[in-house]
Amino acid sequence: MISIVEFFRNLPRKKCTKCGNDIVEKADCYGNLCDNCDHPAL
């Protein structure tokens, strides 16, 4: 059995649902858009 830390390290990176780029996750990030697609000016 693997440790819980190893489990979370092996999870795939989250992808933006709009452009498909990797999302740089933050501590409280539950969104599905990257910073560029979620910019308020767009």
Side-chain angles (χ1 to χ4, degrees), residues 15-37:
K15 301 277 186 187
C16 176
T17 57
K18 192 170 185 180
C19 70
N21 290 334
D22 288 343
I23 295 177
V24 178
E25 295 192 62
K26 299 164 187 76
D28 56 351
C29 178
Y30 297 103
N32 292 331
L33 296 175
C34 66
D35 288 340
N36 291 332
C37 293

Side-chain angles (χ1 to χ4, degrees), residues 6-17:
E6 194 65 27
F7 171 80
F8 283 108
R9 282 189 186 147
N10 290 329
L11 287 175
R13 296 196 55 131
K14 267 176 92 172
K15 301 277 186 187
C16 176
T17 57

